[in-house]
Amino acid sequence: LPGRTHLAGPIELIPKPLPQSFHLHTNIQQIIQSVTQAYGIKATLDKSVTSQDARLDLDNVSYEQAMRIVLMMAHAFAVPLNSSTVLIARDTAENRQQFEPVLVETFTVPSQTSAQINELASAFRSLFDLKQISVAPTLNVLVVRAPEQTLKAINRTLADMLDGGSEVVLDMRIYDVDTSKTVNLGVSLPQSAGAYNVVGLAD
């Protein structure tokens, strides 16, 4: 409406939808540039993305499939700056804190007591390494400030927990090793770059 301010949602990257093939043997910085350019995306590389020799062989893959593998090879993550530009930085805690955009989402957890809501907040704080989470137990509400991918993971977790009924059960194991906490969510990234020639890896 005229005169009314609307909050913008998260930035969405819009790559070309056509599948592409790649057969590249060069350094990882050039591979990132070549892959993003093939889908009409401009990549801005942070200085933390170091140059190293790598080889990429992929056939008929989407932008999401290709970039998932390229980012694994580079030990990096991507942050959309606008619909056609992406920032690439090495995947470290410091870089994620500096570059990753933070969003706020309110989660409603029905049919839970105040104690259960507080327990759920504590569990999510540990499981997703949340720095900012507020609880309104009388309203059955959690307010979380976190990166978009973390919010998506919380949404999926809550959907799975509440799908079969109102009872929430968490079975968590958190290990403390040499005073550093490791949260293992998703795949384990390789420690060295290599050649990829199997399209199935990108599915």
Side-chain angles (χ1 to χ4, degrees), residues 1-2 41 45 50 57 102 105 139 141-142 173 182 185 192:
L1 294 178
I41 300 298
L45 302 184
T50 57
D57 291 289
V102 175
E105 185 167 351
L139 300 176
V141 162
L142 301 175
R173 294 187 182 117
T182 298
L185 299 175
S192 60

Side-chain angles (χ1 to χ4, degrees), residues 10-12 103 105 107 128 130 144 146-160:
I11 297 173
E12 292 188 13
L103 306 176
E105 185 167 351
F107 298 91
F128 296 102
L130 298 177
V144 179
E148 181 182 2
Q149 292 303 316
T150 300
L151 294 178
K152 288 182 178 179
I154 294 174
N155 273 292
R156 290 193 297 268
T157 302
L158 278 176
D160 290 342

Side-chain angles (χ1 to χ4, degrees), residues 115-150:
Q116 288 173 321
I117 293 291
N118 285 316
E119 288 175 2
L120 185 62
S122 297
F124 278 4
R125 186 178 289 108
S126 298
L127 182 62
F128 296 102
D129 195 23
L130 298 177
K131 300 296 187 296
Q132 294 178 291
I133 178 170
S134 302
V135 184
T138 58
L139 300 176
N140 292 74
V141 162
L142 301 175
V143 180
V144 179
R145 181 179 174 87
E148 181 182 2
Q149 292 303 316
T150 300

Side-chain angles (χ1 to χ4, degrees), residues 29-185:
Q29 294 174 334
Q30 186 57 50
I31 287 177
I32 292 173
Q33 296 287 1
S34 297
V35 170
T36 53
Q37 288 174 9
Y39 298 97
I41 300 298
K42 178 182 178 182
T44 298
L45 302 184
D46 180 67
K47 61 183 180 181
S48 61
V49 180
T50 57
S51 179
Q52 55 181 316
D53 291 336
R55 181 170 180 171
L56 179 70
D57 291 289
L58 293 172
D59 290 309
N60 299 318
V61 291
S62 66
Y63 173 83
E64 290 76 13
Q65 292 171 326
M67 284 302 292
R68 184 158 54 243
I69 290 178
V70 170
L71 293 175
M72 288 174 63
M73 294 170 62
H75 306 291
F77 69 103
V79 177
L81 301 179
N82 55 47
S83 62
S84 60
T85 308
V86 66
L87 170 70
I88 308 293
R90 188 164 183 83
D91 196 348
T92 65
E94 293 79 8
N95 282 345
R96 285 195 175 271
Q97 183 175 6
Q98 180 179 355
F99 297 120
E100 209 167 30
V102 175
L103 306 176
V104 177
E105 185 167 351
T106 300
F107 298 91
T108 301
V109 187
S111 304
Q112 302 299 312
T113 66
S114 295
Q116 288 173 321
I117 293 291
N118 285 316
E119 288 175 2
L120 185 62
S122 297
F124 278 4
R125 186 178 289 108
S126 298
L127 182 62
F128 296 102
D129 195 23
L130 298 177
K131 300 296 187 296
Q132 294 178 291
I133 178 170
S134 302
V135 184
T138 58
L139 300 176
N140 292 74
V141 162
L142 301 175
V143 180
V144 179
R145 181 179 174 87
E148 181 182 2
Q149 292 303 316
T150 300
L151 294 178
K152 288 182 178 179
I154 294 174
N155 273 292
R156 290 193 297 268
T157 302
L158 278 176
D160 290 342
M161 294 164 75
L162 301 177
D163 186 48
S166 60
E167 183 177 0
V168 177
V169 178
L170 284 178
D171 184 9
M172 292 173 34
R173 294 187 182 117
I174 298 176
Y175 298 91
D176 220 11
V177 180
D178 294 334
T179 71
S180 64
K181 183 176 68 176
T182 298
V183 178
N184 189 4
L185 299 175

Side-chain angles (χ1 to χ4, degrees), residues 15-30:
K16 293 178 180 178
L18 294 178
Q20 303 288 335
S21 297
F22 303 97
H23 301 281
L24 305 170
H25 189 187
T26 179
N27 63 71
I28 194 65
Q29 294 174 334
Q30 186 57 50

